[in-house]
Amino acid sequence: MEERIILIIPAYNEQDSILNTILTIDRYNEHAYRKLDYIVINDGSKDNTERILVENDVPHIKLVHNLGIGGAVQTGYKYAFENDYDIAIQFDGDGQHDVNYVEDICKPIIEGKANMTIGSRFVEGSTSEFKSTKARQMGIKIISSFIKCFAHEKLYDVTSGFRAIDKGLIKQFALEYPLEYPEPISTTQILKEGKKISEVPVEMNERSGGVSSIRSWKNAYYMINVLLSIMIIGTRRLK
């Protein structure tokens, strides 16, 4: 039986890009061997995101309050679990992620070689010209080093939001998922649990609209807290 796959698309104030993102997925589905379902999680947007979703009949869940990226994505995982999907993919609504790489990031999971895959700009095979700012690349390297130290596996694009998970992790994340710094924290957690993660080379684009969830003035706060969180999880004994 063919795997059921869903894209979870968190969106906060993405009026400039969300419709184009959806149209790109729809065009992909017109010719794809494996069709993709999707659900947009409107995370309390204050702009016209909700109106655009309603007027274009886009499947979505409206959150009354802004929960942040962790809460929005977990809402998507709950939806995926309740609707019995085999693979769930976190997919940005801002135009950064390329739907043509979905088959690539699903392949290791379908073949039973990974529980999670990460679409990576920094592994061999990626020709992505967009790799974020130099400061953020440095931050990513520091986070990567901490994960290696405490979870004993080297990963490179540890803050990538282009990720796929298998059915077991869908259930796990639907029940418990970090609200803050979800990508590096959840990655550390499942590595500690002995699950398998594969990085898959992808290309990414600069966001086509809106504002990043990580603002420059928050970077120092972000780094200190995410590194402390990795240390805590990395030294915690498994139940």
Side-chain angles (χ1 to χ4, degrees), residues 6 16-17 24 95 130 158 170 204 214 221 237:
I6 187 167
D16 296 332
S17 56
T24 299
F130 173 67
V158 291
I170 291 173
M204 292 192 191
I214 303 174
Y221 175 87
R237 290 186 178 182

Side-chain angles (χ1 to χ4, degrees), residues 8 10 68-74 77 89-92 96-97 116-119 121 140 143 147 155 157-165 173 177-191 197 204 213-214 222 226 229-230 233:
I8 296 169
I69 186 66
V73 172
Q74 187 181 30
Y77 289 140
I89 302 168
Q90 184 179 335
F91 192 86
D92 284 357
Q96 284 193 318
H97 298 160
M116 171 191 282
T117 56
I118 300 173
R121 297 161 288 182
I140 289 169
I143 295 171
I147 292 176
L155 297 171
D157 208 346
V158 291
T159 63
S160 170
F162 194 8
R163 312 196 303 168
I165 60 173
F173 287 171
Y177 192 68
L179 297 181
E180 293 189 292
Y181 330 117
E183 288 87 6
I185 300 308
S186 61
T187 296
T188 305
Q189 179 66 44
I190 66 173
L191 285 175
I197 299 178
M204 292 192 191
S213 60
I214 303 174
Y222 175 92
V226 74
S229 297
I230 290 170
I233 292 171

Side-chain angles (χ1 to χ4, degrees), residues 83-111:
N83 289 276
D84 201 31
Y85 282 95
D86 300 298
I87 297 174
I89 302 168
Q90 184 179 335
F91 192 86
D92 284 357
D94 58 16
Q96 284 193 318
H97 298 160
D98 187 339
V99 70
N100 293 295
Y101 286 95
V102 164
E103 283 287 338
D104 290 346
I105 70 169
C106 287
K107 185 177 179 182
I109 295 175
I110 292 170
E111 294 178 349

Side-chain angles (χ1 to χ4, degrees), residues 133-150:
T133 64
K134 295 294 183 183
R136 285 197 186 178
Q137 287 185 54
M138 179 60 68
I140 289 169
K141 288 180 180 179
I142 294 171
I143 295 171
S144 174
S145 297
F146 263 62
I147 292 176
K148 175 68 166 64
C149 179
F150 290 100

Side-chain angles (χ1 to χ4, degrees), residues 24-225:
T24 299
I25 298 168
D26 289 340
R27 287 194 293 269
Y28 173 87
N29 276 337
E30 289 176 1
H31 306 288
Y33 162 73
R34 198 188 309 270
K35 309 298 182 185
L36 305 173
D37 291 343
Y38 54 82
I39 184 78
V40 176
I41 312 300
N42 181 12
D43 189 21
S45 296
K46 295 178 173 63
D47 63 358
N48 291 316
T49 297
E50 178 67 17
R51 179 179 61 79
I52 292 169
L53 296 174
V54 171
E55 289 180 354
N56 291 277
D57 295 321
V58 176
H60 71 285
I61 297 171
K62 178 184 178 182
L63 301 181
V64 178
H65 300 290
N66 176 248
L67 299 182
I69 186 66
V73 172
Q74 187 181 30
T75 300
Y77 289 140
K78 289 178 181 291
Y79 180 90
F81 174 65
E82 291 169 359
N83 289 276
D84 201 31
Y85 282 95
D86 300 298
I87 297 174
I89 302 168
Q90 184 179 335
F91 192 86
D92 284 357
D94 58 16
Q96 284 193 318
H97 298 160
D98 187 339
V99 70
N100 293 295
Y101 286 95
V102 164
E103 283 287 338
D104 290 346
I105 70 169
C106 287
K107 185 177 179 182
I109 295 175
I110 292 170
E111 294 178 349
K113 297 177 180 178
N115 304 104
M116 171 191 282
T117 56
I118 300 173
S120 177
R121 297 161 288 182
F122 305 124
V123 294
E124 184 177 355
S126 174
T127 58
S128 182
E129 295 183 3
F130 173 67
K131 296 183 183 293
S132 196
T133 64
K134 295 294 183 183
R136 285 197 186 178
Q137 287 185 54
M138 179 60 68
I140 289 169
K141 288 180 180 179
I142 294 171
I143 295 171
S144 174
S145 297
F146 263 62
I147 292 176
K148 175 68 166 64
C149 179
F150 290 100
H152 313 299
E153 184 164 336
K154 182 67 174 179
L155 297 171
Y156 294 90
D157 208 346
V158 291
T159 63
S160 170
F162 194 8
R163 312 196 303 168
I165 60 173
D166 67 10
K167 197 164 192 170
L169 283 178
I170 291 173
K171 180 178 180 180
Q172 180 174 327
F173 287 171
L175 296 172
E176 184 176 358
Y177 192 68
L179 297 181
E180 293 189 292
Y181 330 117
E183 288 87 6
I185 300 308
S186 61
T187 296
T188 305
Q189 179 66 44
I190 66 173
L191 285 175
K192 288 288 291 183
E193 293 171 358
K195 295 182 173 68
K196 297 178 181 178
I197 299 178
S198 294
E199 281 190 278
V200 177
V202 300
E203 293 185 38
M204 292 192 191
N205 309 304
E206 290 193 64
R207 60 184 298 124
S208 58
V211 180
S212 172
S213 60
I214 303 174
R215 307 291 181 85
S216 58
W217 62 271
K218 289 183 177 179
N219 281 349
Y221 175 87
Y222 175 92
M223 284 297 299
I224 292 169
N225 281 276

